[in-house]
Amino acid sequence: MRSGCLAVLGVMTFCVCAATVVEEGILHLNKGNFKKALRENKELLVHFYIPMTADGQKVSEIFQEAATELQGSEVRFAMVDTVQEKELAKDLNATAPPFIRLYLSGDEHNPVPCPVPKTSSSILTWLKRRAGSPTDIITDNIQSDDLLVAGFFKELNATYIQVFYEAAVDLPDLTFTLTQNDDVISKYGLVDDNIVLVLKKSRLMQAYRMRPETTKEELILFITVFQMEPVTEYTGETASQILSSPILYHALLFISKSSPDYEKIYDAFNRSAAAFRLKILFVLVNVDESRNGRVMEYFRVRDFEAPLVRIVNLTDHVTYHLPSLTLDVETISGFCQDFLNGSAKPKLQSEPVPEGWEQEPVKQLVGSTLEKVAFHPNNTVFVLFYLPYSPQSRAVFPLWEELAEAFKDQENVVIARIDASANDINMSMHRQYPSLCLFPALYAERVVVYNGKHKLNNLVKFVHKEMEKAKKERVKEDEDRRKYMDALRAEEAKKDNRSKEEL
């Protein structure tokens, strides 16, 4: 299938003439033939794709399968390469999702967006439902091996039945049924009508009582939320479901599933999730899973920092960090409520630079000053990476003040600290916080992690030892730099001589 898709894409790359090219029942359109295709086809389903991308190829394969199944129908399938046909895509405002659109009766300005399909049957179901009516899904059989959305309505002419069916059109990957059988609905202990049930393997997940003012968007939100468990683990299979959820606030638990505290923390996270359904989507990220590296990189979470909880607002992609080492129901729920109330503090790339920080014995660094200070080639810099809410971190503060006092007369030694929970740190210490890291006075950007006792004498000896080692390395660095500069000057001199000779 993949090789067949690539072959089709290769043909489309060269399809730039005004004539309409047809392959496997699909029209390959460009700026020269798009309007002609609109005129000739009452229903034109167009996939605007970006070639040679994983998502694009997957949808293209699904699209081609659907086209094969619907050959000979009134719906004509077509594809547009948005890379080759940038001008056409721009004219049709097709540079952003949705990338599958149905054009009706030659109207190029009001296409009907098609939901992103998971399978070819998704496209077929969507086309069938949008052309049908609620009566098409009436049945008394609401048994299902998988997920089923069942509507119970005594009156079929009620306005909310149309809302129910419109939701079915927009969710073609789910099975929808309508029933008027009292025995069917009473099986689940419900006696009223105008109810929508989400069933999983015939088990009731949630019931929703519709009102005349219920909107399609409200119903879709309910269905998409309650088709999922309270906590969804992030995997390759669930990623698209999570990212396409209409809930734009996501709480993520980063945790090792092999951790001895996993069951206890997961239970607290799961119980918290139940209280925030329809408001916050709860997601578990297993830091032991190597395939989760991308999501961990996006949130700048290192495996040794787990367990921790973050909330991300997908409308502005601002992230919030739970400032606690205690992950129980009360703490997690309180954090989520603070977020919804607007009182939670966002996790910034860098805190503001503190006023007068350079005059303090212990320099308070932030994200924007860390690398500039730590990697200064003429200073030895000892940095305490800490979590302000950690008792273990706070216990080091007095010792760090003593260390600063011990080196107060050495201008080339800087004692500093940085709040690791409030600033993005683009380096890994490969250990838990608090982390004590020394940056030697070298041109090379090098970090030495201190693993000794938290005693003043031990720290002072460690700094002196690393400074002596760095001095020897600095001699070699200086010699290498001198040789490099001499070679550079010699090359420049040769160029000048050649230029003079040419003149």
Side-chain angles (χ1 to χ4, degrees):
M1 179 62 71
R2 177 181 170 88
S3 59
C5 179
L6 290 175
V8 172
L9 294 178
V11 171
M12 287 188 282
T13 301
F14 296 97
C15 179
V16 294
C17 58
T20 303
V21 177
V22 184
E23 182 176 333
E24 297 183 358
I26 298 177
L27 304 177
H28 300 304
L29 303 181
N30 53 55
K31 189 170 178 63
N33 61 26
F34 187 84
K35 290 185 182 296
K36 181 175 183 290
L38 277 181
R39 290 194 304 270
E40 294 179 348
N41 296 280
K42 186 177 180 181
E43 297 183 60
L44 185 66
L45 189 65
V46 183
H47 172 37
F48 297 89
Y49 73 98
I50 303 173
M52 309 309 290
T53 62
D55 290 341
Q57 288 190 35
K58 182 178 179 181
V59 176
S60 293
E61 291 175 3
I62 290 171
F63 191 80
Q64 291 172 65
E65 290 173 8
T68 301
E69 294 182 52
L70 281 183
Q71 274 192 358
S73 71
E74 291 186 0
V75 181
R76 198 61 190 271
F77 284 65
M79 300 178 74
V80 173
D81 182 337
T82 57
V83 175
Q84 288 286 331
E85 300 298 327
K86 291 180 181 178
E87 188 176 347
L88 176 61
K90 184 178 180 181
D91 290 344
L92 297 173
N93 195 27
T95 56
F99 289 116
I100 298 180
R101 302 173 184 182
L102 180 63
Y103 291 86
L104 301 171
S105 303
D107 183 0
E108 70 175 85
H109 302 294
N110 299 289
V112 182
C114 174
V116 178
K118 294 182 181 178
T119 64
S120 60
S121 61
S122 301
I123 297 177
L124 306 183
T125 300
W126 178 74
L127 290 169
K128 182 179 178 181
R129 285 180 183 172
R130 68 162 304 279
S133 71
T135 57
D136 296 334
I137 57 175
I138 294 178
T139 179
D140 287 339
N141 179 21
I142 62 170
Q143 301 298 316
S144 175
D145 292 334
D146 195 14
L147 200 70
L148 177 70
V149 182
F152 178 71
F153 304 99
K154 289 183 179 178
E155 300 294 333
L156 289 180
N157 59 353
T159 56
Y160 34 68
I161 284 190
Q162 189 58 39
V163 172
F164 177 80
Y165 193 71
E166 288 173 1
V169 172
D170 282 4
L171 297 173
D173 291 306
L174 299 180
T175 302
F176 279 70
T177 64
L178 272 172
T179 182
Q180 294 178 290
N181 190 323
D182 291 313
D183 294 335
V184 170
I185 200 71
S186 62
K187 173 184 176 181
Y188 295 98
L190 302 167
V191 294
D192 206 352
D193 67 345
N194 307 328
I195 292 177
V196 176
L197 310 179
V198 176
L199 305 171
K200 197 167 189 178
K201 296 183 179 179
S202 299
R203 176 172 61 93
L204 179 62
M205 302 291 287
Q206 193 71 24
Y208 181 82
R209 183 168 284 102
M210 291 188 67
R211 309 173 308 279
E213 65 271 19
T214 297
T215 65
K216 177 186 71 173
E217 289 73 23
E218 289 173 331
L219 185 56
I220 287 176
L221 175 63
F222 164 78
I223 294 169
T224 53
V225 167
F226 285 98
Q227 70 171 305
M228 303 167 71
E229 298 294 337
V231 175
T232 301
E233 182 173 354
Y234 184 92
T235 65
E237 290 72 32
T238 64
S240 61
Q241 186 181 31
I242 291 169
L243 293 174
S244 62
S245 170
I247 295 183
L248 298 179
Y249 302 150
H250 294 183
L252 298 98
L253 169 63
F254 293 87
I255 191 169
S256 166
K257 294 181 79 171
S258 60
S259 165
D261 295 330
Y262 170 73
E263 294 294 339
K264 180 180 178 181
I265 294 174
Y266 176 79
D267 179 65
F269 193 66
N270 191 55
R271 288 167 60 191
S272 300
F276 291 93
R277 302 293 289 269
L278 301 176
K279 295 179 181 178
I280 300 176
L281 184 68
F282 280 63
V283 179
L284 182 146
V285 180
N286 181 14
V287 300
D288 295 333
E289 174 55 67
S290 59
R291 288 172 291 187
N292 290 338
R294 271 192 165 183
V295 70
M296 292 174 64
E297 181 181 350
Y298 177 84
F299 287 99
R300 302 201 179 195
V301 173
R302 304 166 184 82
D303 55 359
F304 68 83
E305 295 176 308
L308 60 82
V309 173
R310 295 271 176 85
I311 291 180
V312 59
N313 180 349
L314 292 184
T315 58
D316 55 18
H317 297 279
V318 174
T319 302
Y320 299 77
H321 176 77
L322 173 56
S324 176
L325 295 176
T326 304
L327 298 180
D328 54 21
V329 175
E330 183 179 0
T331 305
I332 296 171
S333 298
F335 174 54
C336 292
Q337 193 58 57
D338 287 345
F339 169 77
L340 293 175
N341 293 341
S343 57
K345 294 183 179 179
K347 185 180 188 300
L348 305 175
Q349 288 189 341
S350 176
E351 290 181 294
V353 178
E355 186 176 348
W357 66 277
E358 292 175 296
Q359 281 70 52
E360 297 295 327
V362 175
K363 318 301 180 190
Q364 185 68 45
L365 304 181
V366 296
S368 61
T369 59
L370 173 61
E371 293 189 14
K372 180 181 177 182
V373 173
F375 292 124
H376 193 292
N378 298 323
N379 291 337
T380 295
V381 184
F382 208 1
V383 182
L384 164 63
F385 294 82
Y386 69 92
L387 302 175
Y389 46 83
S390 163
Q392 292 87 351
S393 288
R394 292 197 301 271
V396 184
F397 286 6
L399 176 61
W400 223 240
E401 296 288 344
E402 292 180 39
L403 187 63
E405 178 66 22
F407 285 100
K408 67 178 181 180
D409 295 327
Q410 293 185 243
E411 293 183 359
N412 62 335
V413 176
V414 177
I415 308 300
R417 67 184 188 186
I418 184 170
D419 181 349
S421 71
N423 298 275
D424 281 341
I425 298 166
N426 298 319
M427 60 184 75
S428 177
M429 284 66 68
H430 302 291
R431 56 170 288 135
Q432 297 284 351
Y433 297 115
S435 187
L436 283 54
C437 299
L438 186 132
F439 300 81
L442 295 168
Y443 293 111
E445 296 181 353
R446 189 160 65 83
V447 184
V448 183
V449 179
Y450 176 76
N451 294 311
K453 295 181 179 179
H454 287 189
K455 300 290 184 181
L456 181 61
N457 288 341
N458 296 79
L459 291 171
V460 171
K461 289 178 181 178
F462 170 74
V463 173
H464 284 305
K465 176 185 174 183
E466 291 300 325
M467 288 175 67
E468 287 301 317
K469 184 178 178 181
K471 283 181 182 178
K472 296 176 182 177
E473 294 177 1
R474 184 60 177 265
V475 171
K476 186 177 184 306
E477 275 193 342
D478 288 340
E479 180 61 21
D480 289 342
R481 284 170 64 85
R482 186 189 64 76
K483 290 179 180 178
Y484 173 77
M485 294 304 296
D486 288 347
L488 191 63
R489 283 192 288 268
E491 183 62 29
E492 289 296 328
K494 288 181 181 179
K495 289 181 180 179
D496 289 343
N497 290 334
R498 284 196 294 267
S499 298
K500 290 177 181 178
E501 290 174 0
E502 290 174 0
L503 291 173

